[in-house]
Amino acid sequence: MASGSKTVIYAALAGNLLIAVTKFIAAAFTGSAAMMAEGIHSTVDTGNQGLLLYGMKRAKRPADDRFPFGYGKEIYFWSFMVAVLIFAVGSGISIYEGVNRLLHPHPVESPIINYVVLGLAMLFEGVAWYIAAKEFNRSKGKWTAFQAVRRGKDPVAFLVLFEDSAAMLGLVVAFVALLAGQLTGIEIFDGIASICIGLILAVTAIWLAIETKGLLLGEAANKHVVRDIREVLSGHDAVARINEVLTMHVGPNFILANISVRFARGMSGEQIQTEIERMDRDIKARCENVKRIFIEAERQADSSAAPQDASSN
């Protein structure tokens, strides 16, 4: 998944960089606010892909004394920052440019340049979108697109696709506005398009922020993972009752599990420790993303012994 995600990001970064340059050149020659907004949009997207690559690199650092569970959550932090930048920079500036153009309208010069640039942008963006969509469909498996976004623990898998989809929609808005302004002679279409592009970016940013917030705070593993853990524990004769199975994603492929188990009556401390080690091996064999397991071992209620805490790495 990491290799596929990087391919998607590199493709999007290269495409957005080329598109941003051509859009700014077109905006400089034609004075189009919509084209300027699209140039800002592509620049923000380019920076976002750079942040995602940086976050993926930082997330790979090994655990240390300060962060004993590793740095996997860095990818969640930088994904959230991408959403913030889309909203604050991309959306904010685009809406500002649009309002300014509504207050001070003027005709778009040399519209043919904008048509050429929009055509090239759709081509570049379409290629990047196709690569992102292909990787997203591969990673989501049997889930629907909505389920993959809601349940997925790797924000890169859907973040780039969201950005590219918003970019394609923005290009369509810019094209329609440019054509409408040219056919009707109404100059405010350019400003309206810039505002619409800003609103598209705002909606995209809010959605991305909502989806990454839970992961950043410490979202639980999907229900099927918890169910698999319970099934593994139920297969151990030494387990009298499973109390709690608490999980948290420390990274896209790193799950921390805290488990409370009541063992059968009459077991010694050594026997309990042996069972915990077996549980650790069996859970990790069944659930490959469960990397760290902590098990609280409880005696039977009528036993005079106090509860025992045990943990397994």
Side-chain angles (χ1 to χ4, degrees):
M1 182 62 210
S3 177
S5 296
K6 279 192 174 181
T7 300
V8 170
I9 295 174
Y10 282 128
L13 190 150
N16 282 317
L17 184 60
L18 291 173
I19 294 169
V21 172
T22 55
K23 286 176 180 176
F24 280 128
I25 292 174
F29 276 99
T30 64
S32 170
M35 192 58 65
M36 177 62 72
E38 275 296 301
I40 294 168
H41 182 175
S42 296
T43 302
V44 172
D45 283 351
T46 303
N48 290 343
Q49 272 94 56
L51 286 179
L52 289 177
L53 288 172
Y54 178 73
M56 292 176 71
K57 181 179 179 180
R58 298 273 297 180
K60 288 183 177 180
R61 291 182 296 166
D64 53 31
D65 292 339
R66 187 178 179 189
F67 294 93
F69 297 111
Y71 292 80
K73 281 196 174 185
E74 283 240 19
I75 189 61
Y76 300 152
F77 170 77
W78 291 110
S79 297
F80 189 81
M81 289 304 298
V82 164
V84 172
L85 287 175
I86 292 175
F87 185 84
V89 181
S91 176
I93 295 179
S94 296
I95 292 176
Y96 171 80
E97 284 289 330
V99 172
N100 185 59
R101 189 53 52 90
L102 288 179
L103 296 176
H104 309 286
H106 62 75
V108 175
E109 301 175 1
S110 304
I112 189 64
I113 296 178
N114 283 336
Y115 288 127
V116 172
V117 170
L118 287 174
L120 291 174
M122 288 180 179
L123 176 62
F124 295 146
E125 199 69 65
V127 172
W129 184 90
Y130 173 77
I131 295 174
K134 185 177 180 181
E135 177 62 22
F136 178 75
N137 288 331
R138 186 192 69 80
S139 65
K140 74 182 180 68
K142 296 181 180 180
W143 287 341
T144 64
F146 181 77
Q147 289 174 328
V149 173
R150 294 297 299 165
R151 300 180 186 178
K153 307 304 179 182
D154 185 358
V156 176
F158 58 83
L159 197 151
V160 177
L161 181 61
F162 277 19
E163 280 191 336
D164 289 345
S165 299
M168 289 294 289
L169 184 57
L171 289 171
V172 172
V173 170
F175 180 84
V176 171
L178 180 64
L179 183 61
Q182 186 178 5
L183 293 177
T184 65
I186 300 175
E187 299 172 354
I188 62 172
F189 277 119
D190 190 44
I192 293 173
S194 183
I195 293 174
C196 289
I197 292 169
L199 293 176
I200 291 170
L201 291 175
V203 171
T204 303
I206 292 171
W207 193 2
L208 291 176
I210 291 172
E211 294 302 326
T212 55
K213 182 190 72 172
L215 295 169
L216 186 61
L217 294 178
E219 195 169 279
N222 287 316
K223 291 181 179 180
H224 71 85
V225 176
V226 177
R227 183 175 61 248
D228 288 346
I229 292 175
R230 285 187 174 274
E231 287 180 0
V232 170
L233 295 175
S234 298
H236 286 250
D237 294 334
V239 176
R241 190 175 74 183
I242 304 167
N243 296 323
E244 290 183 317
V245 177
L246 305 178
T247 60
M248 181 176 70
H249 265 270
V250 184
N253 302 308
F254 190 131
I255 298 173
L256 169 68
N258 292 288
I259 303 167
S260 175
V261 174
R262 177 163 291 180
F263 285 91
R265 186 181 298 132
M267 294 184 64
S268 66
E270 185 176 351
Q271 289 174 320
I272 290 176
Q273 186 60 43
T274 300
E275 283 298 321
I276 287 174
E277 292 173 359
R278 285 183 55 209
M279 292 175 188
D280 177 84
R281 291 194 301 268
D282 292 347
I283 291 172
K284 289 178 179 177
R286 177 80 172 266
C287 310
E288 62 179 359
N289 287 337
V290 178
K291 307 297 186 184
R292 295 292 298 274
I293 303 170
F294 295 89
I295 299 176
E296 179 186 6
E298 294 185 358
R299 302 286 193 181
Q300 284 288 357
D302 59 349
S303 173
S304 59
Q308 173 183 349
D309 287 341
S311 64
S312 173
N313 295 327

